[in-house]
Amino acid sequence: MILGLLVSSAFFILFRLSPFIGLATLLYEGFGTVYGWYNTLRMTIPLLIIAVGLSVPFTAKFWNIGAQGQFILGEIFATWIGLLLSKCVPPLADIIIAMFFAFIGGAIWAIPPTVMKLYSGANEIITTLMMNFVAVYLLLWLVSGPMQGAQARLVGAPSSAPIPAQDMLPLIPGTQISTGFLIGLALAIIFYWILKYTEFGYELKLIGEGEQVASYSGINIKRQIFLSMIISGGISGIAGMVYVYGITSTLIPQFFSDISTSFGYVGIPVALMSSLNPIGIIFASIFLGGILNGAFVMEAIYSIPIDVVITIYGLIMIFSIIGIMFDLPKLIKRWKR
Amino acid sequence: MNTKEPIIRMENIVKVFPNVVANDGINFEIYPNEVHALLGENGAGKTTLMNILYGLYKPDSGNIYIYGKKVNIKNPLYAQKFGIGMVHQHFSLIPYFNVLENISIGLNELKINLNLEKVKKKLEEIMKKYGLLVDPEKRIEEMSVGEMQRVEILKLLFRGANVLILDEPTSALTPQEVDELFRSIRDLVKEGKSVVIITHKLYEVFQISDRITVLRKGKVTYKGLTSETTQEALVEAMIGKSVSFNDFSREQIKVEGSLRVEGLTLYGKGNVPIIKDVTFELKRGEILGIAAVAGNGEKELIDIIFGLIKQNSGKIILDGKEIQNKPVKNRIEMGLSFIPAERLTRGVAAGLALYYNSILHDHWSEPYIKHSIINEQEMRNFARKIIKSFEVVAKSEEVLAKQLSGGNLQKFIVGREMLRSSKYILAVNPTSGLDVSATQMVRQALVNMRNSGVGILLSSEDLDELVSVSDRIIVMYKGQIVGSFERHEFDKIKIGALMLGKNA
């Protein structure tokens, strides 16, 4: 943790900024103001939902690295059905249908790598990752072609038509926080319970302990892995829907260099640093969401190039994860003594 | 011949592992120009003894003398200095390297400059001298097992080994390769080397050895020249003479139902049969023992019955219903339990708490799970019951399975499988690693289960155990049933001979 601060301080100094002020700004903008909190939660929501979804196959030690692609497919499906139905059904129905389609979209994207792993042994880390590449360019093609909005076409921007305002997810009354946050919290609690107290969770844990003991225990490993990936992909899809319906309102392309929007990747450390505990994921996603948000504000205030900000953000993330995963248990032990 | 002085003398070697005395006061001598066979069943302590000589283990007590001088072999490097070399059952060659490179690894004089030409020259001399021919440029991964073995032996000769220890050298060889190996061994002995062969195959001993030492449960039970012994004497020494019927009280109750296996066949790699046309019937209220030397298909047979491996053909009929195509879960529901040999990887989920591990075979049924929701309290209760009734040493049911010692883990698994209600129990080495009293407890429990009408299929490496608890024993050799004995016909020597592939 300290190492992370030192290294990022060096970067601040490089840009003629007091490291202390730099870090303070980062945290202040992330967590210090009401407005900062709003923005932080905006970043948190997709991270939270994706990480909850990832915790399911991760429990069985099935490594789904494809949340980004599943997230994108969720966005695409939700936007497509939303634009199609917006005038025919009431807003609430539109949101529910969009969420359902987002789940389907994410799940579809999770199926091919899962089947490849279960029936031919292809490494899921590679195949899920590859599916991300396909998704990124599928989205780029859609928003600059078939799904490009009329407005966007005029200015030549790659984006879809906006979801009508009345169909968007409402804000929590009295705040500027999207109700997507509540969806995330609900999912976290539900999956905390599922993983801890149901037969499904029990079987996933056994699978994670090893194929031998799982098959000895009479578990249908293939079926449960498949199910866990459907859930994981589907939830990542819902994250995509919540992102479009709660934050951006249009489909916009995403690239790999654009870490800020690659929630699918950042979700992986969020899930892992919380030891796959969905309640822990709530806090971890708020923390990383805050740093992400703080980094953006820094760019605006001090006109540090975005690349540097993202570098700093990455460093802080790496070191804080190392810190949390290695130091925290020790600290707790010391404190108990 | 007896006037010869031994090169190496091991005196009173004792080696104790947790739960087992591997070597219990062994005296062993190696004479020049001789092939010495070290014979014994699995777990008799053969490999342990040779690992001590090779410096891999330290004996707890006892001395080693080389040419009459007491030595301390701290590690294999010292053993090499004393001219001792060992070929392990699993070769230690690097597959991507060729013969020369493999032989060069670890040569002291090489330092940085790898003078392969020099190595090659010396190697060719050695190959010529001993008639052990391989292509020095060939890569290990392209070689047959027999060739690899030759490379291992050449490696030892290159380092100047005088005494070669070969651990189960024929286990992976084809008959032709065995002949070739034996010819090479003869040549080596002619050139003044001494060879020790670790084996449990009786006929090989007569083919190749000059002198025999038999170990049984860590003790020397026979010692002498091959020319002066008989097969019968060796079998007796390996398996033990005393037919001690540790009698447990047996009651016969009549319960309907049986587990029948018909014509079960399983092929391994290259269509080699692992199990061939096995047929038998296990009735409820009976203990059926499977006697086999490890690796004769007994393990696969039990895995197939439980559903972990799919058979190539044949039927499994449980209480009149064919189950050979049913998933494991169905078979468990129909009344099968299983005490596996691989306790840490299969018998428990090592990283989970004991109470999680208490319901592996009931994790879908009440009272532990109701409408797919876990009842943790019931799981804990059952785990506590296992811990209490099988005297598992564990702080609480929250301890992780991997934190238990091997023996305690075994007690936990045995207890779990016995305390859940089942009609048939498949058990593989249920008492391995347990101390005397725990062993007695488990055997008593097996007989009690039998008396209450459970059918038990017991595969054990311990022939004494089979003889003491079984109602019937079938013998498996190379995947086939080669003999069947009723309790009143039990004869360890006959059974032992069949296990070793001899016709009694």
Side-chain angles (χ1 to χ4, degrees), chain B residues 81-310:
Chain B
K81 241 183 254 165
F82 294 128
I84 302 168
M86 184 162 176
V87 178
H88 287 94
Q89 227 167 328
H90 304 285
F91 300 144
S92 45
L93 298 169
I94 299 176
Y96 306 115
F97 282 11
N98 67 24
V99 175
L100 282 178
E101 288 161 339
N102 263 291
I103 284 178
S104 312
I105 295 169
L107 284 180
N108 274 339
E109 62 264 35
L110 284 175
K111 301 289 189 258
I112 296 164
N113 292 328
L114 192 71
N115 191 343
L116 280 180
E117 277 309 308
K118 223 167 129 192
V119 175
K120 190 175 175 184
K121 233 171 142 190
K122 191 174 164 195
L123 179 69
E124 274 165 354
E125 274 169 34
I126 293 173
M127 289 201 297
K128 232 183 255 158
K129 188 170 173 192
Y130 299 102
L132 284 159
L133 297 176
V134 290
D135 174 4
E137 310 282 353
K138 199 168 173 184
R139 288 208 295 186
I140 301 299
E141 58 183 351
E142 296 161 355
M143 289 187 157
S144 69
V145 182
E147 279 179 296
M148 288 188 221
Q149 199 166 46
R150 251 174 280 153
V151 176
E152 283 276 20
I153 294 172
L154 284 170
K155 210 163 99 182
L156 299 182
L157 295 171
F158 198 93
R159 285 162 172 71
N162 233 341
V163 176
L164 293 108
I165 306 164
L166 310 178
D167 190 355
E168 307 262 356
T170 60
S171 57
L173 298 186
T174 63
Q176 291 86 338
E177 284 175 324
V178 171
D179 287 343
E180 227 167 288
L181 173 71
F182 284 179
R183 217 175 305 130
S184 311
I185 291 176
R186 289 253 162 262
D187 288 343
L188 285 171
V189 171
K190 231 181 274 163
E191 292 291 333
K193 308 282 180 191
S194 303
V195 177
V196 179
I197 286 190
I198 303 176
T199 181
H200 58 243
K201 292 177 187 157
L202 214 47
Y203 53 92
E204 288 178 357
V205 171
F206 286 97
Q207 254 180 302
I208 186 76
S209 73
D210 303 305
R211 189 181 291 273
I212 298 172
T213 297
V214 182
L215 296 188
R216 183 171 124 79
K217 294 189 175 167
K219 286 192 169 139
V220 175
T221 50
Y222 183 89
K223 196 181 248 197
L225 295 174
T226 313
S227 50
E228 294 167 1
T229 187
T230 60
Q231 293 209 0
E232 285 68 33
L234 290 184
V235 170
E236 202 178 299
M238 273 175 81
I239 301 199
K241 191 180 185 180
S242 61
V243 183
S244 60
F245 282 96
N246 238 357
D247 241 337
F248 296 101
S249 68
R250 290 163 184 275
E251 300 148 30
Q252 215 56 56
I253 57 164
K254 194 82 188 125
V255 197
E256 282 299 305
S258 72
L259 174 65
R260 218 163 63 232
V261 168
E262 280 178 14
L264 214 54
T265 302
L266 174 74
Y267 293 104
K269 270 186 202 153
N271 270 344
V272 183
I274 295 172
I275 296 173
K276 220 164 128 188
D277 200 18
V278 166
T279 300
F280 64 82
E281 181 171 28
L282 166 70
K283 294 192 192 71
R284 291 188 65 178
E286 167 186 67
I287 298 179
L288 175 60
I290 301 178
V293 175
N296 278 290
E298 76 294 341
K299 180 187 168 330
E300 288 82 359
L301 175 66
I302 290 197
D303 283 356
I304 289 176
I305 296 175
F306 198 65
L308 296 172
I309 303 180
K310 184 109 178 61

Side-chain angles (χ1 to χ4, degrees), chain A residues 197 199 202-203 205 209 216, chain B residues 338 351 356 361 363 372 374:
Chain A
Y197 293 111
E199 187 183 336
Y202 180 87
E203 294 203 342
K205 272 185 208 149
E209 283 292 320
Y216 167 79
Chain B
F338 182 17
Y356 258 80
H361 284 161
H363 76 261
S372 295
I374 288 178

Side-chain angles (χ1 to χ4, degrees), chain B residues 380-450:
Chain B
R380 283 170 189 271
N381 288 344
F382 187 56
R384 276 193 219 117
K385 191 173 154 194
I386 299 169
I387 291 171
K388 206 167 150 229
S389 37
F390 277 78
E391 294 164 13
V392 180
V393 182
K395 252 187 251 150
S396 76
E397 71 279 4
E398 284 177 31
V399 172
L400 301 185
K402 65 179 165 198
Q403 290 169 327
L404 291 190
S405 72
N408 277 308
L409 195 61
Q410 183 67 10
K411 282 195 260 180
F412 182 83
I413 296 170
V414 170
R416 178 185 71 206
E417 297 305 307
M418 287 196 178
L419 290 176
R420 66 184 295 271
S421 54
S422 55
K423 296 177 190 163
Y424 302 94
I425 296 177
L426 314 172
V428 182
N429 297 331
T431 59
S432 89
L434 297 184
D435 57 28
V436 180
S437 66
T439 299
Q440 197 60 19
M441 178 177 77
V442 169
R443 288 180 188 165
Q444 181 69 57
L446 282 170
V447 175
N448 290 348
M449 298 294 293
R450 165 204 178 274

Side-chain angles (χ1 to χ4, degrees), chain B residues 65-92:
Chain B
Y65 301 89
I66 297 181
Y67 291 118
K69 240 171 66 194
K70 193 173 157 187
V71 293
N72 179 11
I73 303 177
K74 284 181 201 155
N75 59 42
L77 276 180
Y78 278 81
Q80 279 177 22
K81 241 183 254 165
F82 294 128
I84 302 168
M86 184 162 176
V87 178
H88 287 94
Q89 227 167 328
H90 304 285
F91 300 144
S92 45

Side-chain angles (χ1 to χ4, degrees), chain B residues 182 324 400 476 489:
Chain B
F182 284 179
Q324 68 269 19
L400 301 185
M476 277 185 84
E489 329 171 300

